[in-house]
Amino acid sequence: MNFDISNIIFSMPEIIVLAGACLLLMFDLILPKGQKQAIAYVALAVVIIAGAETWLLSDNIAHIFNRMFMFDGYSIFFKFVFYIGTLLAILLSINYMKIEGEDYGEYYVLILFALSGMMIMASGTDLLSIYVGLELMALSIYILTGFTQRSGKSNEAAMKYIILGSFSSGVLLYGMSLIYGITGTTQLSDLALALKGQDNMDMSLILAVIFLVAGFGFKVAAVPFHMWAPDVYEGAPTSITAFMSVGPKAAAFAAILRIFIEALGPVAGSWETILALVAVLTMATGSIFALIQTNIKRMIAYSSIAHAGYALLGVVAGGRDGISSVMLYMLIYTLMNMGIFGLIIMMRKGDFRGENIHDYTGLAKTNKLAALLMLIFLFSLAGIPPTGGFVGKFYIFMALVGQGLIPLAVIAVIFSAVSAFFYIRIVMLMYMKEPTHKFDLATTPASGIAIAIALIGILIIGVLPSWFLEMAQRAAFPV
C-alpha cells in the first residue's frame, strides 16, 4: 500500500482520539494523586476536538486505507452519536468515580480507546477493519467493567463479560472466515458483487450468517445471546453501565447495517427471517423479564435488550427508511439512556447506592425537579409522545409497514405497550407513594450539564422529528 496523505487526513478524528489517549496516559504518570480529575477535562477536550475535526471534513467522502475505511455521511452520523455518548459518560463519571474511591486517570484513557474502536467500526468497510475496531472497543470495556476493584460484583461482571465476550468474538471471527472462504474477499462492496446470483439457501452461507448473527447478537445483547447483560450492567460502575449501554450498541448497529444490508444484501433471503425471529424474541424477553426486576440497573439491562429488538426490526425492514430509522433510533436511545443513568448516578451518595427501584419511592414529594426529569426519560424509553423515544419507535414501525411487514409492526407495538408497564411502575412509586427515607442527591455542575443535554436532545427530537430523520437519510443516502 503506497503512502497517501488522504489516509491521514480522513482518519484524523481517530488519530486525535488515539493520540489524545496515549498522551493522557503519560500525563497521568506525572499528575499527583487527588488531581486526576484534570484527566477527565482534557479527555472532554479531546472528544470535542475530534468532533470539530469530523465536522470540518464532513463535506468530503473518501475511501481510504486500500478501501478498508470509509469517511462518509453514514460514518460521520454514527461518530457524532459516539461523541455525544462519550461526552455525557465522562461528565457523569467525574463525581461518581470520586464517590466510589476509584478516581484514576486510566479510566478516562480507556473510555477514549473504546471511543476510537467504535469510530473504526463505523468507518470500517472491510470485515477485518470492523473486527479490529470491535476488539479495541471491547477490550477497553472489559477493563472498565471491573474498574471498581474493591467491588466483588464489579470483578464478577468483568470476568463474565470477558469470558463470554471472547467466546462471541471467536464465533464472529469464524463467521467472517466462512464468508471469506465462500467469496474470497473480506471487502464489503466486493462481497456484495461476489454474492450476486448466489443461492440464498446455500448451507455454508447460511452457517456463516448464523455465526455473524450470533457474534453481533452478543454485542447488542440480542436473545439468545443476552445472558451477560443483566449481571454486567448490575456489577459495572454505573457510569460505565451507561456508557456500554449506548456506545458499543450503536457501534455494533453501525457495523450490522454495513455488513448485512450492504455486503449481504444480495442474499437477504438467507438472513432476514433469522434476524426477524431474533428481533421478536429479543423484544419479548426484554419486555417480559424487565417486569420482575427490583434492581433498576437490571431493569434497564432488560430494557436495553428490548430496545435492541426494535432496532433489529429496522435492519429487517432495510431500505432508505429502515436504515435511517435505525440511525435515528441509536441517537435517541443514546440521549434517553444517558439521561436516565445520569439520574441514577445522582442518587449515589455516601453509603446510599439508589439501585433498588423502591429507593425512588416518594422522590416527587421532596425532589420535584429530579422526579420530573426521571418521568420524562422514563416516558421517552416507553415511547410516549412527544418525547424522542416515541419518534424512534414510530419511524421503525413505519419502515416495517412500508415494506409490508405489518405482522412484525403489530408485534412490536404490543411489546412496546408491555414495556410501558415497568417504566410507569417507577413513576407510580415516585409520585403516588410517601418517601421511606431522606433523599440527598449528589448534584454537580458536570452531571447537571449531562442531564440537561440529554433532556434537550430528546425533547427537540420529539418536536422536530422529520428534521432529524432527514438528517439521517442525507447522511446514509447523499444525493
Side-chain angles (χ1 to χ4, degrees):
M1 185 172 64
N2 296 325
F3 176 78
D4 186 347
I5 190 65
S6 63
N7 288 345
I8 305 296
I9 294 171
F10 292 103
S11 60
M12 190 54 74
E14 284 80 4
I15 293 172
I16 289 170
V17 174
L18 284 168
C22 293
L23 289 172
L24 282 178
L25 204 53
M26 290 186 276
F27 181 48
D28 182 47
L29 293 173
I30 58 171
L31 204 63
K33 192 170 173 61
Q35 296 181 19
K36 301 294 185 182
Q37 288 187 354
I39 302 279
Y41 295 108
V42 180
L44 283 173
V46 169
V47 178
I48 291 169
I49 293 168
E53 178 65 17
T54 307
W55 182 263
L56 288 173
L57 295 170
S58 60
D59 289 335
N60 302 280
I61 296 176
H63 212 174
I64 54 176
F65 291 117
N66 204 22
R67 298 197 302 143
M68 295 183 78
F69 188 97
M70 175 72 97
F71 186 87
D72 58 356
Y74 175 85
S75 62
I76 291 169
F77 184 94
F78 272 105
K79 282 174 189 177
F80 275 101
V81 173
F82 306 149
Y83 295 146
I84 292 170
T86 306
L87 281 174
L88 299 187
I90 293 173
L91 286 170
L92 292 173
S93 298
I94 293 171
N95 189 51
Y96 176 79
M97 294 310 289
K98 195 175 173 183
I99 291 172
E100 291 289 345
E102 304 285 357
D103 193 19
Y104 299 109
E106 297 94 327
Y107 175 89
Y108 302 101
V109 173
L110 286 166
I111 287 180
L112 290 182
F113 279 131
L115 169 63
S116 63
M118 295 172 206
M119 294 165 72
I120 293 169
M121 286 178 73
S123 280
T125 52
D126 188 286
L127 292 177
L128 294 180
S129 57
I130 291 171
Y131 184 77
V132 168
L134 187 148
E135 285 304 300
L136 179 56
M137 173 192 75
L139 289 171
S140 306
I141 300 285
Y142 296 150
I143 301 168
L144 287 167
T145 300
F147 207 82
T148 43
Q149 305 162 41
R150 286 163 289 190
S151 165
K153 278 188 175 181
S154 179
N155 295 332
E156 180 189 340
M159 285 301 294
K160 284 181 179 175
Y161 197 24
I162 194 168
I163 290 170
L164 294 173
S166 303
F167 179 71
S168 75
S169 293
V171 169
L172 180 64
L173 203 55
Y174 192 60
M176 289 177 174
S177 67
L178 279 176
I179 291 282
Y180 176 73
I182 294 167
T183 62
T185 181
T186 52
Q187 213 283 330
L188 298 188
S189 56
D190 291 346
L191 269 174
L193 287 173
L195 290 173
K196 267 188 181 174
Q198 184 90 15
D199 181 3
N200 282 337
M201 296 308 291
D202 183 308
M203 287 311 296
S204 57
L205 180 62
I206 291 176
L207 194 61
V209 165
I210 289 172
F211 280 123
L212 289 181
V213 170
F216 282 113
F218 179 88
K219 302 304 175 190
V220 302
V223 174
F225 318 105
H226 67 289
M227 280 84 163
W228 60 274
D231 288 346
V232 174
Y233 274 43
E234 183 183 2
T238 307
S239 51
I240 290 306
T241 307
F243 182 58
M244 78 165 72
S245 72
V246 297
K249 196 180 287 283
F253 272 104
I256 287 172
L257 287 170
R258 277 215 199 265
I259 292 175
F260 282 85
I261 294 183
E262 182 182 334
L264 301 179
V267 289
S270 66
W271 55 263
E272 278 181 343
T273 306
I274 297 172
L275 220 52
L277 182 62
V278 169
V280 171
L281 289 174
T282 302
M283 286 187 299
T285 304
S287 301
I288 293 169
F289 280 85
L291 295 171
I292 57 173
Q293 302 305 315
T294 55
N295 181 292
I296 195 163
K297 288 169 72 176
R298 290 185 74 87
M299 190 204 82
I300 294 178
Y302 280 104
S303 157
S304 168
I305 292 167
H307 282 284
Y310 299 120
L312 282 173
L313 286 181
V315 180
V316 173
R320 183 184 177 90
D321 292 340
I323 293 171
S324 55
S325 64
V326 175
M327 293 168 69
L328 181 60
Y329 199 86
M330 286 298 107
L331 172 62
I332 295 167
Y333 180 75
T334 296
L335 290 167
M336 58 191 184
N337 237 38
M338 293 306 293
I340 195 80
F341 271 112
L343 289 160
I344 294 170
I345 286 170
M346 282 173 63
M347 294 286 283
R348 175 78 173 94
K349 191 168 186 181
D351 295 330
F352 186 69
R353 304 198 73 83
E355 293 181 5
N356 193 295
I357 287 172
H358 290 280
D359 289 340
Y360 297 81
T361 302
L363 179 65
K365 308 290 182 188
T366 57
N367 297 74
K368 289 184 170 52
L369 180 59
L372 177 63
L373 292 171
M374 193 125 192
L375 178 142
I376 294 171
F377 289 123
L378 287 168
F379 274 15
S380 187
L381 285 165
I384 295 174
T387 61
F390 168 77
V391 171
K393 287 182 180 174
F394 176 78
Y395 283 125
I396 294 250
F397 299 161
M398 290 304 294
L400 288 169
V401 172
Q403 293 295 322
L405 301 169
I406 296 171
L408 283 178
V410 172
I411 292 170
V413 170
I414 290 170
F415 284 119
S416 183
V418 172
S419 65
F421 178 80
F422 57 81
Y423 297 122
I424 291 173
R425 181 175 52 152
I426 299 175
V427 175
M428 289 177 63
L429 286 173
M430 290 192 304
Y431 280 89
M432 302 181 73
K433 300 281 186 183
E434 291 300 320
T436 54
H437 58 89
K438 186 179 177 184
F439 291 98
D440 185 15
L441 303 185
T443 53
T444 63
S447 58
I449 291 169
I451 293 169
I453 292 171
L455 176 71
I456 293 167
I458 62 165
L459 291 180
I460 289 179
I461 295 173
V463 175
L464 300 169
S466 58
W467 189 86
F468 284 91
L469 182 69
E470 287 169 10
M471 181 174 67
Q473 288 174 339
R474 284 197 304 273
F477 303 94
V479 177

